[in-house]
Amino acid sequence: MLQDIKQKPILAVHYAIVLFMCFIFPQLEPIGALTPAGMALVGGFLGAVWGWSMIDMLWPSFAGLLGMGWFLGFDKVAAAAFGNVTVINVLFMFVVMTCVTETGAVVWLIQKLLSLKFFAGKPWVTIGFFFYVAYLIAGLNSIIMAMILIPILKALFDTLGLEPYSKLPTLILIGVMYCLLMGQVTFPFMGVAFVLVSSYSAMFQTAIDFGSYLLFAVPLSVVMILLYLGIMKFVFRVDASPFKNFKPEMMGEAAPITKDQKKAFVILICFIIAMLCSSISALGPAYQVMSRIGVMGIAVGAMFVTLLMKNTEGKPFINVAEPTQWSIILITALVQVLAANMMSPDYGVTATITMMITPLMTTFTNPYVLVAVVLLFAVVLTHFATNMVLCIVFMPFMVTIASTVGIAPIGMIVLLFFSCQMSLATPGGGAPVSAMFYGITEWVKTSTMSKLAIIAILFLFLGDVVFGLFWASVIF
């Protein structure tokens, strides 16, 4: 699937910009309140941000680390980047989570649910089912989950006799794409969401409670998915009648669950429970034990147990040599360097951000309007830059605004995470998942998909801001 996506040639100017920001920018006259060290820190980070958006994830990460190391000292940068517990946690988590995908447990679960007679003759329930399944499984790995779901959806479209390039399949694919993007930032102890939460904690020395995060994220996501279904039905007036003919037998009979798949589900459930227990103080003794072990202890413990297990073929249950998401690990490492130093007055980063925010606060005196404007700016940019990177770039601005106007910073940060997942209108924007869905050229036209997505985003953004701000004031 990923190989089928056409890669555009990368212009040499993008490499030049990255090198300029990492190695020349730090030697210029300091901007704002930045110190020479702050120029090196910001230059390395912004150079990497440009490269992540225009080149790929790996080379720009090394360029940023090299630039920071040259000016700030390699030992100091290495200690902040790879000596940080967050990077180790991310590495271990990715390895443990591979057992759920490698055993085919997710595919079995989807087929089993689709075989239920509950969905027969209920078109909007069936469509909603795919949206919520995509949302729930995205935390494991949104790219792999997209690779699993796309063939299932294409087979379903063929079976139901849907017309290629029509509104129904196009909007369903946009919806599944959106749910995968939302799902990857929902569970704060998994994947992208964990990287973002950890980056916030490192930057501002404030931990985000997993329980509160989920209490905000899950209802917001449920509302947003229902809103999207409403947009399909009442704004686009989609004819979903072909799904009335859906019968469970169309998707084939689900194979019996294997022993390895059962083991994978047990590992996943235990991992999630342990993570929740480590963060929710209301759980009493369980919280006391698991919080002492911590996130790293849970991740290492999961590795320790699964490495002792064998699959039905007598081979190791997880393959630690399997390629992992090094791009996310390196991004996490680079962000930790920024996070570890940005609050220090020796760099002047926080003071510079405050100077940049002040004119906005003068123009938009209503704090909620100001937050909405910043979030709208993020939604636009997420179509041209990586979602996760944008979240990290906008974090200091959102915290500064929230702290100044008296809004809970954590609520605004989590709302930022979700707003940055609306990269639905361009194929080469915020996430590889977007390109994968735009690449289904036998069912969708890029121009049609973009037009429908832009209209949907207008309604989604309004719902996201209105309900998100209200719900954040309740939870945080």
Side-chain angles (χ1 to χ4, degrees):
M1 177 63 66
L2 287 174
Q3 290 79 0
D4 295 337
I5 301 173
K6 294 182 180 180
Q7 298 293 328
K8 296 181 180 179
I10 300 172
L11 299 178
V13 66
H14 296 310
Y15 289 96
I17 291 173
V18 172
L19 293 175
F20 173 83
M21 294 303 299
C22 292
F23 297 99
I24 305 300
F25 179 82
Q27 302 181 62
L28 302 178
E29 188 72 21
I31 298 173
L34 290 176
T35 64
M39 291 286 286
L41 187 70
V42 172
F45 180 69
L46 292 182
V49 168
W50 185 273
W52 291 333
S53 302
M54 299 299 179
I55 303 173
D56 61 27
M57 296 296 176
L58 294 177
W59 183 82
S61 299
F62 284 111
L65 290 170
L66 188 63
M68 290 179 180
W70 182 263
F71 292 102
L72 302 178
F74 285 101
D75 289 344
K76 181 177 182 179
V77 170
F82 299 103
N84 190 287
V85 67
T86 300
V87 178
I88 307 301
N89 289 342
V90 171
L91 175 61
F92 286 157
M93 285 180 186
F94 278 135
V95 175
V96 173
M97 290 300 103
T98 57
C99 69
V100 183
T101 53
E102 287 184 357
T103 58
V106 174
V107 176
W108 174 87
L109 179 61
I110 295 172
Q111 290 179 335
K112 187 66 177 178
L113 291 173
L114 277 174
S115 67
L116 299 175
K117 294 183 178 180
F118 172 76
F119 296 103
K122 299 175 181 177
W124 290 108
V125 173
T126 305
I127 295 171
F129 163 79
F130 278 102
F131 291 167
Y132 282 107
V133 165
Y135 166 72
L136 289 171
I137 64 178
L140 298 171
N141 184 315
S142 60
I143 296 175
I144 293 177
M145 295 306 108
M147 295 173 69
I148 290 172
L149 285 172
I150 288 174
I152 294 175
L153 289 167
K154 289 164 64 175
L156 180 61
F157 294 165
D158 275 325
T159 303
L160 295 175
L162 301 190
E163 182 181 348
Y165 313 120
S166 61
K167 285 196 296 186
L168 181 55
T170 302
L171 287 168
I172 288 175
L173 291 173
I174 293 174
V176 173
M177 183 203 324
Y178 178 49
C179 292
L180 284 170
L181 293 172
M182 275 202 304
Q184 70 179 353
V185 295
T186 291
F187 302 100
F189 39 75
M190 297 170 68
V192 173
F194 178 75
V195 173
L196 294 174
V197 169
S198 300
S199 298
Y200 172 84
S201 298
M203 283 184 187
F204 305 104
Q205 303 301 308
T206 303
I208 296 180
D209 177 77
F210 289 170
S212 298
Y213 186 106
L214 285 171
L215 198 57
F216 175 81
V218 173
L220 174 63
S221 303
V222 170
V223 168
M224 296 306 294
I225 295 173
L226 289 174
L227 175 60
Y228 185 79
L229 286 168
I231 294 169
M232 287 181 63
K233 187 172 182 177
F234 300 109
V235 176
F236 294 113
R237 298 185 180 279
V238 172
D239 178 14
S241 59
F243 276 84
K244 287 184 179 180
N245 301 321
F246 174 79
K247 296 179 181 179
E249 305 85 61
M250 291 180 175
M251 304 306 297
E253 185 177 352
I257 188 171
T258 66
K259 291 183 178 179
D260 289 339
Q261 290 167 348
K262 290 179 181 178
K263 292 178 184 177
F265 281 128
V266 170
I267 292 171
L268 177 62
I269 292 170
C270 290
F271 179 80
I272 292 174
I273 292 174
M275 284 295 187
L276 289 175
C277 288
S278 71
S279 179
I280 303 175
S281 58
L283 295 177
Y287 167 75
Q288 294 176 1
V289 173
M290 300 312 298
S291 61
R292 182 177 180 182
I293 295 174
V295 174
M296 183 171 180
I298 294 170
V300 172
M303 282 282 292
F304 173 77
V305 172
T306 50
L307 285 171
L308 293 174
M309 299 169 62
K310 303 290 182 181
N311 61 21
T312 52
E313 297 177 354
K315 298 178 180 180
F317 192 67
I318 58 172
N319 183 7
V320 294
E322 190 72 19
T324 189
Q325 293 191 16
W326 286 110
S327 58
I328 291 183
I329 291 173
L330 283 171
I331 289 175
T332 306
L334 186 63
V335 167
Q336 297 311 306
V337 181
L338 178 69
N341 297 292
M342 70 169 291
M343 301 300 289
S344 171
D346 295 336
Y347 295 85
V349 176
T350 303
T352 302
I353 291 173
T354 302
M355 291 172 61
M356 295 171 66
I357 289 294
T358 302
L360 271 178
M361 297 179 65
T362 304
T363 304
F364 301 99
T365 55
N366 186 303
Y368 295 103
V369 173
L370 176 59
V371 169
V373 169
V374 174
L375 291 177
L376 180 60
F377 190 43
V379 169
V380 173
L381 287 182
T382 195
H383 287 85
F384 309 99
T386 306
N387 295 355
M388 185 174 75
V389 174
L390 268 180
C391 289
I392 294 167
V393 169
F394 272 79
M395 266 190 217
F397 294 95
M398 291 299 290
V399 169
T400 303
I401 292 171
S403 301
T404 304
V405 301
I407 301 175
I410 295 178
M412 295 303 96
I413 288 297
V414 184
L415 186 57
L416 170 69
F417 295 169
F418 279 82
S419 299
C420 284
Q421 306 313 308
M422 295 186 192
S423 54
L424 310 175
T426 58
V433 170
S434 303
M436 293 172 69
F437 279 85
Y438 273 87
I440 311 174
T441 54
E442 68 271 34
W443 281 102
V444 297
K445 292 181 179 179
T446 299
S447 58
T448 303
M449 200 171 193
S450 292
K451 291 176 183 176
L452 294 175
I454 290 172
I455 296 172
I457 288 170
L458 296 176
F459 291 93
L460 290 173
F461 177 74
L462 183 61
D464 180 63
V465 171
V466 172
F467 182 79
L469 287 173
F470 160 74
W471 194 235
S473 66
V474 173
I475 300 300
F476 300 105

